Structures are given as C-alpha cells and as structure tokens.
Amino acid sequence: MIEFDAVFYDGKTSARNAVRVRGYPHLSLRIAGAGIELDVPLAQVRVEPPVAGTHRILNLPGGAQLQTHDDASIRVLFPQSDRLETWVHGLESRWPYALAAVAVAAGFAWWCVVDGLPLAAELASAHVPTSIEAKLGDQALQSIDQAICGPTAIDAGKQAELRRSFAALTAGLGDGYAYRLEFRACKGMGPNAFALPGGAIVLTDDLVRLAENDAQITAVLAHEIGHVRHRHGLRLAIQAAGLAALIATLAGDAASITGLAVTLPTAILQSGYSRELEEEADSHAFQRLKEIGSSPKYLAQILARGFGSGISRFFS
C-alpha cells in the first residue's frame, strides 16, 4: 500500500478538498477526506504526463481530479505510464534522434509537395463528372476574359476555316467532352493556346498570326486536346488549391469543386504543366495527327518559330 496527500476536485464545483489517498498497486485508489469516501479502480484512472515543477494530475471517472506533488508515489502506482514517459524523455534528450525525426518530417513534407499532392490530385480528378468539369472550365474562361483576354480580331473567314479543322480533329473521340474552339486577343501572353477543363480550348490571335499554315495550328490544338483528355487542367487546379480541394473533390462537393475556377487561371497561366503532363499531351497529339492524315512535324515547326516570339511553354 502507498499513501500520499492530494487535493480533490469533484469536477462539478471549484471547491478544493484536502484528502489522503491510499493506493493499492494493481487494484484501486481509496480517497478519504472531509465528506469524501471514494474507491476508484486504477484501470479507470488516467494519469497526465508530468511537467517539471508542477503537481501530478490524476483524472478520475465523472470528471473528478486529484492533484499531488508526490511524484514518486504516482510512478510506483502507475509504472506503465512511467515507462512511457521515460522512453519519451529519453528520445527527447538524444539529439541524434531529434535530428532524425526532423529529417524524416522534412522528407515526408517534401514528398507530399513533389509527389504526394500531384498523385492525389490525379486520383481525385477521376471522380469529377465531366459536367462539373465543364462548368469549372466555363467559370475559369470568364475569369480569364475579365482579367487578361478580350475579343478576337481574327476575321470570321479564318475562324471558320480553323473551326472546320478543329471539328475534324475532335470528331469521333468519344470521350464525353464537348470540345469548342475559342479565339481571344490576350495582351502580354504572346502566341499561345491553352486548354480548360471540360473541352474549351483558347487560341490567341498572336498564335494564329505566327503560324505559317493551318496544319501548324491544328498540331497545337491536338496537343491541347491531349491536356483535356488527361484532365491536366483539373489536376493542376486541385493541386494548386491543395488539401481542401482534394477533400471537396473526393466528397463530391460540386460547389467547392467549381470554386476551383478562382485558382485555375493562375495555375495554368503562371505555373504551367509539368514535363510529364506535357509529354502525355504530346503523345496524344502525335497519335491523333497521324490518325487524321497530318504529321507531328507541324508541331515541331511552330514550336521552332515560336522560340524567339514568346510562344508559351504550355504546349512545348
């Protein structure tokens, strides 16, 4: 048996009650004081970790509590807790372990940013219906029109020619996307094209003027269709928005998902796609151009022309 003095709080009032505690190892605590007679099994007592210079705290059933300065008695009555605290203290006192823990945490954080979040974004994007994806793309285009781009100056005849080529390029894909070609004059963007989730592809006036022929433009559009089919824009938006977007996507929260339109223009126009995503889009472009009787050389030609003219890296 072990005895020690303590202060008892009943958990219902702020009253302090001096008590004498008798502890029976592996059995119970008997608490006695003015008007207090309690027997509490040790298994129902939760011991708070020790803090240097303060009393030990024992939490009892029903919100009651004991506080005592007799640390030695607590360690004898609750040896399991003592072993755990000793182990934790030992780890904390050994700087190599602390440095190793910091290194592991830093490595895990790096993996989350570099590999984990992109992988999670890829998995999450597969759960988004194409109808929601299209709504996201429409909202993103509205944001781009308000901040960056204006009406096109390309004449109607040229637009019609390019739309016919675009229709042939997208015919029979059967992927559920309603592809459409949008012409815009975008200051400061230069010769460029970019795909938005849901099938909208924006072609800038500067790129139309840069191209030597329609085949080169078609090659660029084939690359952008690859971005749509692989959901690269949606993945980039989810990745840029981070963990909250992942949770919203996996939970099927349509309102939160379409709210990604706020981050999507910045993610696409400033961050751009990774080399891996660009290569996926290139692979689709090469295959599709061959299927319609064109050649991947036209993509290389317009990229070569664009290197000194500000053409974007987004489909390079």
Side-chain angles (χ1 to χ4, degrees), residues 8-9 14 17 33 62 69 73 77 87 96 114 134-135 139 148 173 180-181 184 188 207 215 217 226 286 316:
F8 175 79
Y9 296 89
S14 60
N17 296 278
H69 286 285
S73 294
L77 284 170
W87 178 73
V114 175
K135 186 179 294 186
Q139 292 179 354
I148 303 173
L173 291 180
R180 70 181 193 276
L181 183 59
R184 294 291 189 277
L207 181 55
I217 297 175
F286 296 161
S316 61

Side-chain angles (χ1 to χ4, degrees), residues 103-157:
V104 170
F108 180 72
W110 177 261
W111 179 86
C112 287
V113 173
V114 175
D115 297 313
L117 191 56
L119 176 61
E122 179 182 0
L123 296 175
S125 65
H127 295 274
V128 179
T130 55
S131 59
I132 298 298
E133 193 177 356
K135 186 179 294 186
L136 170 61
D138 291 342
Q139 292 179 354
L141 182 57
Q142 291 177 12
S143 299
I144 291 171
D145 285 343
Q146 292 173 359
I148 303 173
C149 299
T152 181
I154 302 299
D155 66 78

Side-chain angles (χ1 to χ4, degrees), residues 82-98:
D82 183 54
R83 287 195 297 269
L84 176 61
E85 296 304 328
T86 300
W87 178 73
V88 172
H89 179 73
L91 290 179
E92 292 175 342
S93 63
R94 290 174 172 81
W95 64 265
Y97 291 167

Side-chain angles (χ1 to χ4, degrees), residues 24-301:
Y24 300 90
H26 310 295
L27 295 175
S28 65
L29 293 179
R30 178 164 294 175
I31 304 167
I36 300 172
E37 289 288 342
L38 292 175
D39 281 298
V40 181
L42 291 185
Q44 296 183 13
V45 179
R46 184 169 56 86
V47 183
E48 295 285 345
V51 178
T54 66
H55 44 244
R56 298 299 304 270
I57 298 175
L58 307 181
N59 293 306
L60 308 177
Q65 187 180 90
L66 287 175
Q67 296 184 7
T68 180
H69 286 285
D70 196 335
D71 180 68
S73 294
I74 302 304
R75 291 181 182 275
V76 172
L77 284 170
F78 301 95
Q80 184 175 3
S81 174
D82 183 54
R83 287 195 297 269
L84 176 61
E85 296 304 328
T86 300
W87 178 73
V88 172
H89 179 73
L91 290 179
E92 292 175 342
S93 63
R94 290 174 172 81
W95 64 265
Y97 291 167
L99 290 179
V102 171
V104 170
F108 180 72
W110 177 261
W111 179 86
C112 287
V113 173
V114 175
D115 297 313
L117 191 56
L119 176 61
E122 179 182 0
L123 296 175
S125 65
H127 295 274
V128 179
T130 55
S131 59
I132 298 298
E133 193 177 356
K135 186 179 294 186
L136 170 61
D138 291 342
Q139 292 179 354
L141 182 57
Q142 291 177 12
S143 299
I144 291 171
D145 285 343
Q146 292 173 359
I148 303 173
C149 299
T152 181
I154 302 299
D155 66 78
K158 184 63 174 179
Q159 290 186 48
E161 291 178 9
L162 292 173
R163 291 188 193 280
R164 283 194 292 270
S165 298
F166 185 72
L169 187 63
T170 58
L173 291 180
D175 53 17
Y177 290 108
Y179 292 98
R180 70 181 193 276
L181 183 59
E182 300 282 351
F183 294 88
R184 294 291 189 277
C186 303
K187 294 181 180 179
M189 191 177 294
N192 202 348
F194 53 90
L196 297 174
I201 296 177
V202 179
L203 186 64
T204 69
D205 290 3
D206 287 338
L207 181 55
V208 175
R209 298 188 184 103
L210 176 72
E212 296 176 303
N213 51 58
D214 289 356
Q216 292 179 353
I217 297 175
T218 298
V220 171
L221 296 177
H223 176 97
E224 296 304 324
I225 290 170
H227 283 311
V228 174
R229 300 196 76 185
H230 290 287
R231 295 189 156 187
H232 291 166
L234 178 61
R235 288 161 58 179
L236 195 63
I238 295 174
Q239 186 176 329
L243 182 59
L246 286 173
I247 295 172
T249 303
L250 292 172
D253 185 348
S256 297
I257 294 170
T258 55
L260 295 176
V262 176
T263 63
L264 181 57
T266 300
I268 292 180
L269 301 181
Q270 293 186 7
S271 301
Y273 298 115
S274 67
R275 173 52 54 189
E276 179 185 358
L277 300 190
E278 292 292 0
E279 289 175 352
E280 283 186 346
D282 282 343
S283 295
H284 173 270
F286 296 161
Q287 180 63 34
R288 187 57 179 165
L289 290 172
K290 292 177 182 179
E291 289 174 353
I292 65 172
S294 187
S295 170
K297 72 178 182 180
Y298 293 113
L299 182 59
Q301 289 175 356

